[in-house]
Every structure is written in C-alpha cells, then in structure tokens.
Amino acid sequence: MSRLIHIAVKDVKTLLRDRAAFLIMLGMPLVLIFILGSALGGVGESENIDIPVAIVSQDNGSEGALFAKAIADVKELESVFNIDVRDDFDTVRSEVERGDLTAALVIPGGFSDALAAGDPVTLEVLQDPGSQLTAGLWAGVARAAAANLSAGQIVRLTVTNLLTEAGVPAGAQQPGGGSPEMTFDAVSVKTVEVEPEKQIALIDYYAAGQTGMFLLFGAMFGAFGFVRERREQTLARVLASPASKFDVVGGKSLGILTVGVAQFFVLFLGTTYLFGVDWGPTPGGIIIVGIAEAFAATGLAMTLSALAKSERAIGGIGPTVIMLFAALGGSMIPVDQMPAWMKPLQSISPVYWALDAFLGLMRGGAMSTVMVSVGALLGIGVVLFGFGLWRLSYE
Amino acid sequence: MSSIVQVTDLVKRFGDFTAVDGVSFSIEEGEVFGLLGPNGAGKTTTISMISCLLGPDGGNVVVNGHSVKTASTAVKRELGVVPQEVALYPTLSAAENLAFWGRMYGLSGTALKSAVADALVLAGLEDRSKERVEKYSGGMKRRINIAAGVLHKPRVLLMDEPTVGIDPQSRNHILETVKDLNASGMTVLYTSHYMEEVEFLCDRIAIMDHGKIIAVGTLNELRDVVGGMDVVSVSVSDVSDSTLSAVRVLAGVESADSTEGKLTVLTKSSGSILGGLVAALESEGAHVTSVTVEEPNLESVFLHLTGKSLRD
C-alpha cells in the first residue's frame, strides 16, 4: 500500500511541475469563465433587470395622461421596466433609434376625443431593432393595456346606450361628468404564489460549465503521464521492482484523482473569490459533486491510457472526447437550448451530470436533489475505469 | 560458487515469432555474466523474463531459489534492473528520482537517505543532486540510471545495454562502475552487442543469436572454439554480395562477412591467403585501404558460429 501512495505522490509532483498542464487545467478555465461571464453577464443576472422604456403622450385631452399614468403606476412592471412618461415625441424617437431607450409606447393625438366618440384608436410602440426580445416585452405590456382599455370602453358604451334607450338624459348618465377611471382590473387574474426558482447569472453558469469541462482535461494529463511512462520505460522499471500492478494502477489513479480534486478546489474557490460566482447555499454538496466528477475523470484517464498507444494519440483522442462531452453536457450552450434528439446522448457525458448537479445546488436545491447526478458520475467513473483496466497495456 | 540465477529452456513467443527459443544458462554468485549478441538476438526479452516483466511461454527462471512463475515478488527483491533506456522522471531531481526508486524497493527513513547518498556518490553527482534530471547530459543520466538500479543493493544486477549512445568518457565510467559493483560482491548479468565491453567485464559469456544460445563459456573457452584461426580484417570500400561470394570461395577462407566498410575473414593460414584475398577484392573493383591480422576474439567466434558479423 505504501508503494501505491508513493507512486501517487510522485505523479502529483511531476504533474504540478508540468507548466503546460498547469496552464490548461487552471489558467484556461479561469480566463474563459472571466471572458464568457463578462461578455454575456448582462443577460441572465439574478438581480432585477431594468429595461429603459418610455410612454409618450401626444394627446391634448386628459385620457392620454390618465392612460400613461395607469401603466406607469403598475407595481409589477417596476422590477422589469424603468418607465419614463414623456411628452417630447421627437426626442423619444431618437433615443429609441440610438438604443438609449429599448422601446416607447406612443399615445396619439386625439386619443381622448376618439375614446369619447367610441372611435378606434391605434397605439404605436417604437422598438429598438437591436433589442427585439426586451422591446417585445414592452409591446406585450402595451397590448395588455390596450385590451384592458378596450374592455372598459365597451362597458362604458354599452351602459351609455342602455341608459339612452331607457330615456335617461345624456347629462344625467355621468354624474361625475368625466371619463370613466382607467383600471387594470377589468379581468381579474388569480395568482398563486410559488417559490421562485433562483435565476443563475451567466458567469455562474459558465463557472459550473467550464469547471465541469476542465476537470476532464486533468484526466487527459493523467493519461499523458501513463503513456509517457510506458514509452520512457519507467513503468516497466516500476513493475520490475516489488511494486505490483495494483500498486501502479492504484497509485496512478490516486494521483489523477488528487490532482482533479485539487483542480476543482482551485476553480471553486478561485471563481468564488475572483469573480464572485455564487455556487449556492450548499458548498458541501458542490464539493461532493466536484469529487464525483474528479472520480469520473480518473476513469476517463484510465480509458484514454488504454486506448492511446502514444502521447500524440491522446492529444487527438483526449480533446475530441472531452469537447464532445462538454458540448453534450452544456458547457458551451445551455442544455435546454439543445434539440430534443440530443437529450438521450447527454446522459453519457459526465459534464452533463456535473453541470446538472452544480446548477441544481446553485438554484438552492438540497443535496438530496442531486444524488442522482452524483450517482451517475460515480457510475460513469466505474465503467470507464473498468474498461480502461480491462484494455490497459503496461508494455 | 553456486548458481544464483538458473535459466532453463526459456521460451517466449510473440505471435508466430519466437523471440527466445529454449535458452538455458546459469549465473554463479559473484560473477559478471555477459549476454552477447546482435540487435534482435533476444537478449532484452530474456532479461525481461528474468526480471518478471514478461511471463515465459516455456521453461523457467529461478533466482536464488525463487521461481519467476510462482514467486515473482521474491525474485524482484533479489534483483536490480538497469534498463536499456534511461528510465527516470525528467522533471524530478536526481535525489528525488533515487528516493522514489528506493521506496519502490521498500527503503525508508535513514536507510533510504543513506542509500540515496551512496548512489549519488556512485554516480559522481552528489554536487548536482538537486538539479532536475532533464538538465543532465546523456552520460550523467546514464549514471543516475545505473545508480537507481543498485541503491537498494540487490544481489543480482541486470544491465541491458547500459552504454548505448553515450560518449567514451561516460562509457568508461560505467564500465569501471560495473567492475566496482562486482568487486563489492554483486552478481551482474550484462547484455551488450559490443564485444569489447563483454571481453573487458565478463567472467563468462553466452553468445546469443536468433533467440538461441549458440555458445557459453569463459573468454578463453570461447576463443578455443576458433582455436588456431586468425582474424583478417580488411578496410575496404563497398563490399558487394558478389565480392563477398568471391572471397568466401577462396582457398583457406573458413568464413567471411562484411559490415560498415570492414571485411572480416576467418582463416587458419593468414599468411598464405593475404595475396589472393587482396587480388580478389581488387578484381571485384573494391579499394583496399588496410589489412590487419588479429588474434581470435568474440567477433571471430560469432563469425565462425553464425557465418556473419556481430554487428549485422
């Protein structure tokens, strides 16, 4: 057993002195997380989003102003939109064209008169073509408001007609003498409070995804070490000593696992303290998932060592397999954006299970919710390790 | 003396190819035993089976009473191995490498420290022990390679062509080291295709070709195989097959072969064939630059037994 430990210690020492490996295993993921997180960080942030929009009224009557105020006062919209009520149409239009405003709802001139006469009115929404998604949200708000307003109009005109037919004088029909009050409660919607799922910022997503992927690169360097030892005859020399094959395989696997776990901790702590990545309220769970993936990576290292006859072969096979796992697993594109036919393939990827578990814990899930993923990672590790051991050549 | 290594009818096949074909020899405790043969003769495969890296397809190896078939770990404890390649970790220092190999043989604590220090002295690298091996010259690597094989003080040291590809100075250092190790009581099995090394070092020699032992004995016993014969070495430009055939049919020529601009002829009467030999070569268009007549050596033994040069 002590020989096994000595082999593991030697492997860790030699890998830590390999600058190229160090750079790829730690430097690259940190840089990629930073770049991807910074470049895409504006979308998907967990905090309230703040889309700048405007309502501009060209109406000379009171209805336009009332309508604008009714929309601007809706509390539910505050967490999404920064609504500015304006009256300078030309300036608002230029701000939308420049992209300073995402969208603007335009209330046309004669709006009050048209409402009073029961004539149709067309509201206009100016949209920034570069922000179609968020501008579309604002257009939806405008449609909802218009529908509400239309319903109010229908009610008002119906009541007016009924009263007229009943012989009630026009002056007596509206005791207040003004327009009916604008409300958004013509149709009531019952809302059921649910626990909101925590949104994950993109830098958090990519921290999990890149960690999942780059842990597999640690496996590749482990396989490099195995094949290099075979070529340089150090493996044969170890086997010519009283060390057994169990010592050799166990020691090398322990070395790869140790490096993988250490790599995970560096990425976990590095992303937390350098980039403020929020790994969720269960760090213990995150660590268990990280160790489980490092185990799967150790199995992958054993399989790569068995399949590749040379370091050059590993240089070809290793990145191909890892990138495939990473792409299937969601390291590059979120898995929910992938086509349905790809979903069954995802289960072979350790990155998929690791990312699934990381994201679950980041969203506040309990450890029990990711046990399936942890089990899958351990299972993949056992299968890859077993295959590698079966096919491994020591000469 | 008693046999510490007994090799009996050893066979190793790789598919249809028989690399070692019924090899038998024994090594007495305290001797330097040479295994001489050209590249591909089966020397490394034989050593691999003795060191338990390869399992034999037939026959057996017994080291100090332990069979490689039934007690490989016990066999390994008796052995030190110096492989043909420099089998060291380049990013570790010499001291770290030696410590690792010592641990593989069960050394620890002060015994390990002492063994590493002694091995560094043996290699003459105690001043550079903390440098990474990748920064060493080829000769220095070879010396550490040997030191790693002997630091646990094995009873039997297996050395597989330890001087391949190094400078003469390092080569001499290694040969002297082997002499010193043997003088300290270590039994050595030394393989080489350099007959000069084997002649210099070995008490007994087995000549191997095509997976078989074709002769075993002391240097003098082997020379007696070609007793009464001389070796005529001719430096000559380009020896074609037809030239070689012409030489072989000359009267008095027992056998002849050529390699790397050198024609080697085995004869019982060198004085009477020289004139005819040079004339035959000239008539074939070959340009003779020198002719020497030597006492029989392992080269001539090999030529006599196989009809070809050792370096073919």
Side-chain angles (χ1 to χ4, degrees):
Chain A
M1 193 66 181
S2 67
R3 289 188 180 92
L4 185 154
I5 302 290
H6 292 312
I7 291 170
V9 170
K10 179 266 300 171
D11 273 13
V12 171
K13 202 182 280 187
T14 51
L15 195 56
L16 289 179
R17 291 180 184 179
D18 186 340
R19 286 181 189 171
F22 216 70
L23 194 68
I24 290 177
M25 289 167 62
L26 293 178
M28 268 181 73
L30 287 174
V31 169
L32 275 176
I33 290 164
F34 177 71
I35 291 172
L36 290 169
S38 300
L40 305 170
V43 180
E45 295 280 352
S46 57
E47 295 83 11
N48 291 348
I49 52 177
D50 194 26
I51 303 169
V53 293
I55 304 172
V56 54
S57 175
Q58 297 176 303
D59 183 32
N60 294 323
S62 60
E63 299 295 344
L66 281 171
F67 185 61
K69 186 173 181 302
I71 297 173
D73 287 347
V74 176
K75 289 211 175 297
E76 287 80 359
L77 298 179
E78 287 177 4
S79 62
V80 181
F81 297 104
N82 178 11
I83 304 170
D84 194 9
V85 179
R86 309 267 289 269
D87 54 8
D88 46 343
F89 174 78
D90 291 339
T91 312
V92 166
R93 186 182 185 89
S94 345
E95 287 179 19
V96 173
E97 286 169 353
R98 282 200 307 271
D100 295 342
L101 285 171
T102 300
L105 171 64
V106 180
I107 301 169
F111 179 76
S112 296
D113 296 341
L115 282 184
D119 295 338
V121 178
T122 301
L123 300 174
E124 189 179 11
V125 177
L126 306 176
Q127 294 188 36
D128 173 12
S131 306
Q132 284 191 351
L133 185 66
T134 46
L137 291 176
W138 183 237
V141 169
R143 283 194 197 93
N148 191 283
L149 183 63
S150 298
Q153 274 293 91
I154 290 166
V155 170
R156 196 180 66 130
L157 290 173
T158 304
V159 170
T160 302
N161 289 338
L162 286 171
L163 290 173
T164 303
E165 286 170 13
V168 178
Q173 288 178 13
Q174 291 180 332
S179 301
E181 191 178 348
M182 290 288 304
T183 62
F184 273 88
D185 54 4
V187 178
S188 69
V189 177
K190 183 181 179 187
T191 57
V192 179
E193 288 284 323
V194 294
E195 190 65 33
E197 188 176 66
K198 186 188 167 195
Q199 294 301 304
I200 293 173
L202 276 178
I203 193 159
D204 297 350
Y205 183 90
Y206 280 109
Q210 298 299 305
T211 297
M213 178 171 77
F214 277 92
L215 280 180
L216 299 189
F217 274 102
M220 192 182 78
F221 284 100
F224 266 134
F226 204 103
V227 173
R228 188 186 303 121
E229 285 219 40
R230 205 157 51 198
R231 175 176 59 79
E232 293 178 344
Q233 298 285 310
T234 46
L235 188 61
R237 192 170 199 167
V238 171
L239 289 168
S241 78
S244 63
K245 285 182 179 174
F246 173 80
D247 291 328
V248 171
V249 172
K252 298 198 84 63
S253 300
L254 181 61
I256 294 166
L257 180 66
T258 304
V259 169
V261 171
Q263 183 194 7
F264 165 73
F265 272 103
V266 171
L267 293 175
F268 174 46
L269 296 174
T271 52
T272 301
Y273 291 108
L274 290 177
F275 309 138
V277 168
D278 180 5
W279 287 88
T282 320
I286 294 284
I287 289 167
I288 289 172
V289 175
I291 293 171
E293 202 200 353
F295 178 79
T298 304
L300 178 63
M302 202 52 64
T303 287
L304 289 175
S305 303
L307 292 178
K309 301 297 177 203
S310 65
E311 290 134 288
R312 193 173 175 179
I314 288 186
I317 299 171
T320 305
V321 171
I322 291 168
M323 296 311 274
L324 187 68
F325 279 161
L328 283 174
S331 278
M332 299 165 187
I333 306 165
V335 288
D336 54 12
Q337 293 181 20
M338 292 182 186
W341 61 265
M342 207 179 272
K343 298 223 179 278
L345 295 174
Q346 288 168 343
S347 58
I348 65 167
S349 167
V351 177
Y352 169 76
W353 293 109
L355 189 53
D356 184 59
F358 283 145
L359 296 178
L361 293 169
M362 282 174 156
R363 289 190 185 102
M367 186 60 216
S368 58
T369 62
V370 298
M371 291 315 290
V372 171
S373 297
V374 170
L377 285 169
L378 296 177
I380 289 170
V382 167
V383 169
L384 291 173
F385 192 87
F387 177 81
L389 205 57
W390 172 49
R391 302 292 299 167
L392 195 62
S393 166
Y394 298 90
E395 295 157 23
Chain B
M1 288 197 292
S2 60
S3 292
I4 193 163
V5 178
Q6 184 70 49
V7 177
T8 311
D9 297 329
L10 203 59
V11 175
K12 185 66 190 177
R13 297 185 195 90
F14 298 104
D16 294 336
F17 175 67
T18 303
V20 174
D21 190 3
V23 163
S24 297
F25 60 85
S26 62
I27 303 174
E28 308 300 322
E29 184 154 21
E31 76 173 341
V32 180
F33 187 87
L35 205 51
L36 179 71
N39 291 329
K43 306 186 298 292
T44 298
T45 306
T46 301
I47 277 205
S48 295
M49 285 189 279
I50 296 172
S51 60
C52 307
L53 281 175
L54 292 175
D57 293 322
N60 196 8
V61 178
V62 176
V63 179
N64 200 29
H66 307 293
S67 166
V68 295
K69 289 180 167 178
T70 57
S72 61
T73 305
V75 169
K76 289 173 179 181
R77 287 202 180 96
E78 303 286 348
L79 302 176
V81 179
V82 178
Q84 193 168 345
E85 302 294 329
V86 174
L88 299 169
Y89 298 102
T91 55
L92 299 186
S93 70
E96 287 172 330
N97 264 287
L98 292 171
F100 172 76
W101 293 113
R103 289 188 183 104
M104 289 300 102
Y105 283 90
L107 299 179
S108 61
T110 51
L112 178 65
K113 279 186 183 173
S114 169
V116 169
D118 290 348
L120 285 167
V121 171
L122 180 79
L125 290 167
E126 56 269 47
D127 294 338
R128 301 182 65 177
S129 65
K130 292 181 179 172
E131 280 183 41
R132 289 185 183 191
V133 166
E134 64 190 355
K135 294 181 178 171
Y136 284 3
S137 68
M140 290 159 70
K141 287 177 186 171
R142 288 275 178 188
R143 278 143 59 186
I144 286 291
N145 200 37
I146 292 173
V150 301
L151 89 163
H152 61 289
K153 297 184 174 52
R155 292 185 72 171
V156 180
L157 178 62
L158 309 180
M159 303 186 83
D160 189 9
E161 309 237 20
T163 60
V164 169
I166 60 170
D167 59 277
Q169 192 182 353
S170 293
R171 187 181 185 193
N172 289 339
H173 183 277
I174 287 171
L175 295 180
E176 290 301 332
T177 301
V178 177
K179 281 274 188 193
D180 291 344
L181 290 169
N182 178 240
S184 70
M186 202 176 284
T187 304
V188 179
L189 170 57
Y190 190 96
T191 80
S192 179
H193 63 273
Y194 296 126
M195 66 167 185
E196 304 86 351
E197 291 182 6
V198 175
E199 285 181 348
F200 174 73
L201 286 175
C202 298
D203 301 308
R204 288 193 307 130
I205 299 151
I207 298 178
M208 204 170 174
D209 189 39
H210 291 305
K212 293 182 177 180
I213 300 286
I214 54 175
V216 185
T218 64
L219 181 58
N220 286 333
E221 287 169 347
L222 291 173
R223 279 176 178 159
D224 285 346
V225 172
V226 288
M229 291 194 207
D230 294 328
V231 180
V232 179
S233 293
V234 184
S235 296
V236 62
S237 64
D238 191 36
V239 181
S240 65
D241 288 345
S242 66
T243 305
L244 200 55
S245 300
V247 169
R248 281 175 176 157
V249 298
L250 288 173
V253 170
E254 296 290 329
S255 55
D257 198 20
S258 70
T259 179
E260 296 169 5
K262 182 183 166 190
L263 175 68
T264 305
V265 176
L266 204 59
T267 176
K268 287 181 178 171
S269 51
S270 56
S272 64
I273 70 155
L274 286 180
L277 176 61
V278 173
L281 288 169
E282 295 288 350
S283 69
E284 287 288 327
H287 177 59
V288 176
T289 54
S290 71
V291 178
T292 56
V293 179
E294 301 161 353
E295 290 287 308
N297 54 24
L298 291 174
E299 177 77 49
S300 52
V301 174
F302 193 82
L303 181 61
H304 176 68
L305 294 173
T306 67
K308 62 185 183 182
S309 298
L310 190 55
R311 290 185 176 83
D312 273 0

